[in-house]
């Protein structure tokens, strides 16, 4: 009896603790497409320049898309209604076989090595892509919280959506880049990660 590759998508991800290497160090993992979904107003020019630069660099290692949703899409005056409208808009963009990472101030605290493990896990569990969700000014709605495979925080500080985006995209680039001594070989759709800090 064959097991569906999507069966693993509903499981929650467990991250390695502490400052240990990625569990995929020296192994081949599937290069998974990444989508970054942000809820917010129009970005400042400075932030957009940084995002464009990192997107250009990341595209050498994997497919990456920047998806934006306008905050408060129906101009609701009530905060609860605003969160619900944003939640509906976000859920409408999530693919059924996508690994969803919700960025939230109450999420798991992750380091660069754990981010590499998170990406490796998503790629090896049959997900079509990896989606990082950055919420609007009032956070995420209930549907996304229920759908997310994992919730992570980028900092103990509360970050606005633009700063969170810059931190996230830099960490994704760091995960894919030789600054952590990551040997990257893209051959036949696989990404080879040899992860360890350089002295």
């Amino acid at each position: 009896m064959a097991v569906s590759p999507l069966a693993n998508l509903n499981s929650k991800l467990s991250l390695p603790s502490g400052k240990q290497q990625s569990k995929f160090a020296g192994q081949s993992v599937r290069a998974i497409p990444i989508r970054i979904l942000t809820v917010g107003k129009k970005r400042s020019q400075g932030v957009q320049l940084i995002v464009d630069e990192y997107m250009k660099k990341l595209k050498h290692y994997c497919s990456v898309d920047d998806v934006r949703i306008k905050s408060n899409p129906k101009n609701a005056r009530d905060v609860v209604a605003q969160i619900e409208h944003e939640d509906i808009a976000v859920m409408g963009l999530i693919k059924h076989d996508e690994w969803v990472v919700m960025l939230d101030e109450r999420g798991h605290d992750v380091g660069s090595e754990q981010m590499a493990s998170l990406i490796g896990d998503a790629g090896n569990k049959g997900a079509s892509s990896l989606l990082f969700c950055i919420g609007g000014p009032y956070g995420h709605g209930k549907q996304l919280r229920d759908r997310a495979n994992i919730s992570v925080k980028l900092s103990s500080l509360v970050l606005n959506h633009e700063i969170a985006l810059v931190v996230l995209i830099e960490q994704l680039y760091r995960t894919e880049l030789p600054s952590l001594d990551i040997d990257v070989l893209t051959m036949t759709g696989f990404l080879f990660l040899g992860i360890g800090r350089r002295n």
Side-chain angles (χ1 to χ4, degrees):
M1 175 197 240
V3 177
S4 167
L6 302 181
N8 290 330
L9 288 180
N10 291 329
S11 63
K12 298 292 181 184
L13 179 67
S14 62
L15 295 169
S17 60
K19 294 234 176 205
Q20 54 186 266
Q21 285 188 350
S22 165
K23 61 185 170 184
F24 296 106
Q27 298 180 31
S28 294
V29 294
R30 184 169 67 90
I32 188 166
I34 295 174
R35 297 194 313 145
I36 303 168
L37 188 151
T38 55
V39 177
K41 297 178 180 170
K42 185 176 177 181
R43 289 183 192 146
S44 70
Q45 280 186 316
V47 168
Q48 191 59 55
L49 283 171
I50 293 169
V51 169
D52 290 345
E53 181 66 25
Y54 275 102
M55 294 289 271
K56 182 178 170 185
K57 290 177 181 182
L58 272 169
K59 287 184 180 189
H60 291 290
Y61 304 106
C62 64
S63 168
V64 61
D65 289 316
D66 179 16
V67 182
R68 290 188 263 177
I69 293 177
K70 181 184 171 197
S71 62
N72 199 7
K74 294 190 177 182
N75 296 319
R77 294 188 185 270
D78 178 46
V79 171
V80 174
Q82 179 177 336
I83 293 169
E84 287 175 2
H85 295 151
E86 291 169 355
D87 199 26
I88 291 167
V90 167
M91 293 303 294
L93 293 174
I94 296 176
K95 300 173 186 174
H96 75 283
D97 58 350
E98 194 160 43
W99 192 272
V100 179
V101 180
M102 180 179 70
L103 276 64
D104 186 76
E105 63 194 36
R106 295 175 297 273
H108 296 283
D109 195 6
V110 296
S112 297
E113 293 86 358
Q114 291 168 316
M115 184 68 82
S117 290
L118 186 148
I119 292 169
D121 273 346
N124 288 334
K125 290 199 179 222
S128 66
S129 57
L130 180 60
L131 176 68
F132 289 89
C133 295
I134 299 173
Y138 301 108
H140 300 288
K142 182 177 180 348
Q143 290 181 72
L144 177 61
R145 289 185 180 282
D146 292 342
R147 169 61 177 86
N149 296 91
I150 188 168
S151 173
V152 300
K153 67 178 175 179
L154 299 174
S155 170
S156 295
L157 303 171
V158 176
L159 306 174
N160 78 24
H161 66 276
E162 288 191 338
I163 300 301
L165 174 61
V166 170
V167 171
L168 172 65
I169 200 164
E170 192 280 334
Q171 283 303 302
L172 291 174
Y173 179 63
R174 182 176 298 276
T175 298
E176 304 290 348
L177 190 75
S179 65
L180 284 178
D181 197 17
I182 298 176
D183 303 316
V184 180
L185 302 169
T186 26
M187 297 169 39
T188 63
F190 284 87
L191 186 69
F192 177 81
L193 298 176
I195 300 174
R197 290 210 179 270
R198 287 188 174 166
N199 295 330

